[in-house]
């Protein structure tokens, strides 16, 4: 039984998660489109990072060839002419690590340990990843300077060739990992003892189920709770949850009237007590702001770590799809327009051109989370300055349905969330995102990327196109139907 850097970090999040990953990995299942896209992105970033070190040598051995990997690493480190090693492999006190990039400095007296991450921001759990590698190498007697290699959000791709020295930034994290390093030996021992047990530890669900990210076994530990469960109050803090638990309150309807709640939490309590949807008295006044014709608009984007087109930065969204429903008057028949890029060329110019042809010059444009669509439009205006005045006028017409739903409505079936995925079936029961081929934004980006880069068969490509169009259409039609419910309330 050995630990690896990924296993060690998993154990820091939750011991039960680590136990299941080791002993019952089949519970994870095959990666979905989103997870596969994340894996693929990590591989792509790693490949670009290696290109920055042209003199690097890869330890090319498989996962089952540990002895060969250890031997090859030793040989390369002993050979003074080898300045950089990729996937250098080390084993110490039942911990196996493979270092992304190991760079010789000071004639081999020290080594630069570089952990590559497909992120532009340093995250705390990255430090644990580096600390376990530092523990192994220093335990074997090597002197190392631990570093993170991140993407530089200030870098702008010229559309021709990548300046790798500017695309990446290397940050030394010696002081940040010093304190962690002291805790590593005890945590290793705890994890190994836990893994030797016959059953998984009985860790209770808590914040660790979603931090630093959602656990693969979330649904195993977090069984569905009734819609009135107090844990489903909107934006419920841990401290407030603990206070309610001490009071013996398990249902939202039983929360004492004098218990301090935020406005959305008060609305949730009102809906639970009445047993029906809550609508504010000011809703009609808010809806009175709307000016026809009404355009219901939604964008889909992909934010690749490595910028693909001129003028783009790492993780800058590529807008590849939009849907617009138009309601000229309340009694008018709906009109629908859509756009979907179908190849790997830069879609931004066609995206904006086609959108401007249908969006008109007057009337409000309804979106769900205005900051997103406005941000995409702002980037398009930067790229195509000749369209900036028109884009600015378009941005001024945006009308955000999300804060209206959040401030003026609540249904117990929201389950504490104001996402369309919950709000829509609660207020419009005949509509939902269940059983759709694509059912959320990140998945849409992953499917589109696979479609345009030839990773799908012809039949799969046709299905992907249908699924993408249906999903984006659903988002804008959802806003139409939600507005009709609000107008009738």
């Amino acid at each position: 039984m050995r630990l690896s850097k990924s296993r060690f970090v998993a154990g820091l999040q939750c011991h039960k998660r680590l136990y299941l990953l080791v002993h019952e990995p089949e519970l994870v299942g095959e990666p979905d489109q989103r997870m596969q896209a994340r894996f693929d992105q990590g591989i792509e970033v790693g490949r670009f990072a290696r290109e920055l070190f042209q003199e690097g040598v890869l330890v090319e051995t498989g996962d089952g060839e540990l002895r060969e990997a250890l031997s090859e690493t030793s040989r390369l480190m002993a050979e003074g002419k080898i300045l950089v090693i990729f996937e250098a492999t080390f084993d110490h006190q039942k911990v196996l690590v493979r270092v992304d990039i190991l760079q010789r400095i000071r004639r081999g007296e020290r080594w630069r340990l570089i952990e590559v991450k497909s992120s532009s921001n340093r995250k705390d759990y990255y430090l644990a990843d580096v600390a376990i590698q530092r523990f192994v190498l220093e335990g074997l007697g090597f002197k190392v300077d631990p570093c993170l290699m991140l993407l530089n959000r200030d870098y702008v791709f010229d559309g021709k060739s990548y300046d790798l020295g500017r695309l990446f930034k290397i940050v030394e994290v010696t002081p940040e990992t010093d304190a962690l390093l002291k805790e590593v030996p005890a945590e290793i021992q705890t994890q190994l003892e836990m893994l030797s047990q016959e059953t998984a530890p009985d860790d209770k669900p808590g914040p660790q189920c979603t931090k630093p990210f959602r656990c693969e076994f979330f649904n195993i530990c977090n069984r569905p709770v009734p819609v009135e469960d107090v844990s489903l109050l909107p934006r419920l803090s841990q401290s407030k949850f603990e206070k309610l638990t001490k009071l013996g309150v398990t249902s939202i309807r039983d929360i004492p009237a004098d218990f301090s709640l935020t406005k959305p939490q008060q609305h949730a309590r009102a809906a639970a007590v009445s047993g029906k949807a809550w609508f504010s008295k000011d809703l009609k006044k808010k809806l009175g702001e709307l000016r026809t014709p009404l355009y219901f608009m939604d964008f889909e984007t992909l934010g690749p770590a490595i910028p693909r087109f001129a003028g783009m930065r790492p993780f800058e969204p590529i807008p590849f799809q939009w849907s617009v429903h138009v309601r000229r008057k309340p009694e008018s028949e709906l009109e629908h327009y859509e756009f979907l890029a179908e190849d790997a060329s830069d879609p931004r110019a066609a995206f904006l051109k086609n959108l401007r042809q249908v969006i008109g010059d007057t009337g409000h444009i309804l979106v769900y989370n205005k900051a997103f669509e406005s941000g995409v439009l702002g980037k398009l205006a930067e790229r195509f300055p000749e369209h900036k005045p028109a884009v600015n006028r378009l941005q001024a017409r945006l009308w955000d349905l999300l804060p209206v739903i959040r401030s003026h409505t609540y249904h117990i079936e929201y389950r504490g969330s104001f996402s369309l995925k919950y709000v829509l079936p609660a207020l419009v029961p005949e509509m939902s995102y269940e059983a759709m081929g694509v059912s959320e934004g990140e998945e849409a980006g992953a499917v589109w990327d696979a479609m345009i880069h030839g990773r799908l068969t012809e039949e799969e490509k046709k299905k992907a196109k249908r699924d993408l169009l249906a999903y984006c259409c659903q988002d804008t039609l959802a806003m139409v139907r939600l507005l009709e419910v609000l107008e009738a309330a």
Side-chain angles (χ1 to χ4, degrees):
M1 182 70 67
R2 281 188 175 88
L3 292 174
S4 63
K5 60 182 181 182
S6 59
R7 285 182 175 183
F8 178 77
V9 174
L12 289 180
Q13 179 172 352
C14 175
H15 283 174
K16 186 174 183 180
R17 178 187 176 215
L18 171 59
Y19 188 96
L20 294 176
L21 282 171
V22 172
H23 293 289
E24 300 185 62
E26 67 280 359
L27 294 176
V28 177
E30 292 297 319
D32 59 18
Q33 290 273 16
R34 290 171 298 172
M35 289 304 300
Q36 189 60 54
R38 292 174 195 170
F39 295 151
D40 293 343
Q41 179 165 271
I43 292 171
E44 181 185 36
V45 170
R47 177 172 59 82
F48 272 83
R50 289 178 185 177
E51 289 181 10
L52 187 58
F53 300 89
Q54 294 291 326
E55 71 277 26
V57 178
L58 175 65
V59 177
E60 296 186 272
T61 52
D63 291 337
E65 300 171 340
L66 173 58
R67 187 171 299 177
E68 291 84 350
L70 293 169
S71 176
E72 179 68 1
T73 298
S74 296
R75 184 187 71 79
L76 293 172
M77 294 181 75
E79 192 172 328
K81 294 182 179 180
I82 303 299
L83 301 180
V84 177
I85 306 171
F86 305 134
E87 297 296 321
T89 306
F90 303 91
D91 189 16
H92 176 63
Q93 293 189 6
K94 297 186 177 181
V95 180
L96 173 71
V97 298
R98 298 182 190 273
V99 180
D100 289 340
I101 301 173
L102 190 65
Q103 183 181 29
R104 189 188 303 269
I105 54 178
R106 298 185 192 174
R107 298 182 180 179
E109 294 176 8
R110 297 189 70 84
W111 294 84
R112 205 180 194 191
L113 186 163
I114 304 174
E115 174 70 13
V116 181
K117 296 295 184 184
S118 55
S119 171
S120 59
N121 299 314
R122 194 188 74 181
K123 300 179 173 64
D124 288 343
Y125 65 91
Y126 291 169
L127 299 177
D129 209 335
V130 176
I132 187 65
Q133 295 175 72
R134 184 180 169 189
F135 165 80
V136 170
L137 270 71
E138 291 184 354
L140 293 170
F142 300 108
K143 296 177 181 179
V144 299
D145 294 336
C147 301
L148 285 170
M149 190 172 185
L150 306 170
L151 290 154
N152 177 17
R153 285 298 291 265
D154 293 329
Y155 170 71
V156 180
F157 180 41
D158 64 6
K160 298 176 182 178
S161 61
Y162 292 100
D163 183 342
L164 298 178
R166 294 179 56 232
L167 174 61
F168 290 100
K169 57 184 178 181
I170 298 176
V171 183
E172 187 172 339
V173 290
T174 299
E176 294 88 339
T177 54
D178 280 342
L180 288 173
L181 198 60
K182 297 175 183 178
E183 302 171 2
V184 167
E187 179 62 25
I188 289 172
Q189 186 62 31
T190 299
Q191 290 189 13
L192 289 171
E193 290 176 358
M194 178 271 297
L195 288 172
S196 69
Q197 302 300 312
E198 293 185 1
T199 58
D202 187 26
D203 292 351
K204 303 300 182 186
Q208 77 279 3
C209 294
T210 54
K211 294 180 181 179
F213 40 76
R214 185 181 173 95
C215 174
E216 306 92 323
F217 308 102
F218 182 90
N219 291 333
I220 292 175
C221 299
N222 293 267
R223 303 297 184 184
V225 297
V227 294
E228 292 186 11
D229 192 273
V230 72
S231 65
L232 297 180
L233 273 175
R235 296 189 177 183
L236 178 64
S237 67
Q238 185 64 25
S239 61
K240 188 173 289 187
F241 175 72
E242 290 172 357
K243 288 179 182 178
L244 289 168
T245 300
K246 287 181 180 179
L247 291 173
V249 177
T250 59
S251 174
I252 294 174
R253 68 167 59 243
D254 295 330
I255 296 174
D258 60 351
F259 190 86
S260 177
L261 295 174
T262 64
K263 287 291 185 182
Q265 291 168 352
Q266 293 174 23
H267 304 160
R269 182 182 178 279
V273 170
S274 69
K276 57 184 180 181
W278 172 87
F279 297 97
S280 81
K281 296 178 180 179
D282 297 326
L283 178 57
K284 293 290 186 185
K285 180 180 178 181
K286 183 64 181 176
L287 296 181
E289 298 175 0
L290 290 172
R291 295 294 177 264
T292 57
L294 299 182
Y295 299 85
F296 302 79
M297 183 178 75
D298 181 68
F299 296 166
E300 300 302 333
T301 64
L302 173 73
I306 306 297
R308 295 185 183 175
F309 306 115
M312 300 195 76
R313 304 170 188 267
F315 301 104
E316 184 174 321
I318 300 171
F320 63 85
Q321 181 181 12
W322 55 254
S323 171
V324 173
H325 274 89
V326 186
R327 194 179 82 175
R328 305 290 175 185
K329 296 179 180 179
E331 66 277 7
S332 299
E333 185 174 341
L334 279 178
E335 302 168 24
H336 182 238
Y337 305 89
E338 59 191 1
F339 170 85
L340 174 64
E342 297 187 44
D343 59 44
S345 62
D346 188 347
R348 292 174 294 172
F351 180 100
L352 182 56
K353 177 183 176 182
N354 284 272
L355 180 65
R356 286 194 59 196
Q357 288 175 349
V358 304
I359 209 67
D361 297 316
T362 60
H364 276 112
I365 303 168
L366 279 74
V367 293
Y368 206 84
N369 187 14
K370 182 172 72 173
F372 172 69
E373 273 81 10
S374 184
V376 171
L377 290 168
K379 288 295 182 182
L380 289 171
E382 289 179 13
R383 177 57 182 162
F384 307 106
E386 67 274 20
H387 294 287
K388 187 171 183 179
V391 169
N392 288 343
R393 290 193 297 271
L394 196 157
Q395 288 174 305
R397 293 163 55 202
L398 295 178
W399 197 86
D400 200 344
L401 188 58
L402 173 58
V404 177
I405 293 290
R406 184 185 289 128
S407 299
H408 297 275
T409 82
Y410 198 85
H411 194 293
I412 202 66
E413 293 288 347
Y414 289 1
R415 301 182 70 88
S417 171
F418 294 97
S419 162
L420 269 179
K421 309 306 179 290
Y422 288 93
V423 170
L424 179 63
L427 295 182
V428 189
E430 64 273 18
M431 292 183 71
S432 83
Y433 288 82
E434 290 185 7
M436 294 190 72
V438 171
S439 60
E440 62 92 32
E442 187 180 356
E443 183 184 10
V447 170
W448 177 72
D449 202 40
M451 182 182 81
I452 64 168
H453 284 107
R455 297 197 293 270
L456 304 179
T457 66
E458 279 304 310
E459 282 304 310
E460 289 172 336
K461 186 175 180 180
K462 290 177 183 178
K463 181 179 184 304
K465 180 179 177 179
R466 291 195 302 270
D467 289 344
L468 287 168
L469 291 174
Y471 170 65
C472 201
C473 176
Q474 174 91 337
D475 276 349
T476 51
L477 184 59
M479 288 188 282
V480 174
R481 299 305 176 217
L482 286 173
L483 179 62
E484 290 172 350
V485 171
L486 301 185
E487 289 171 331

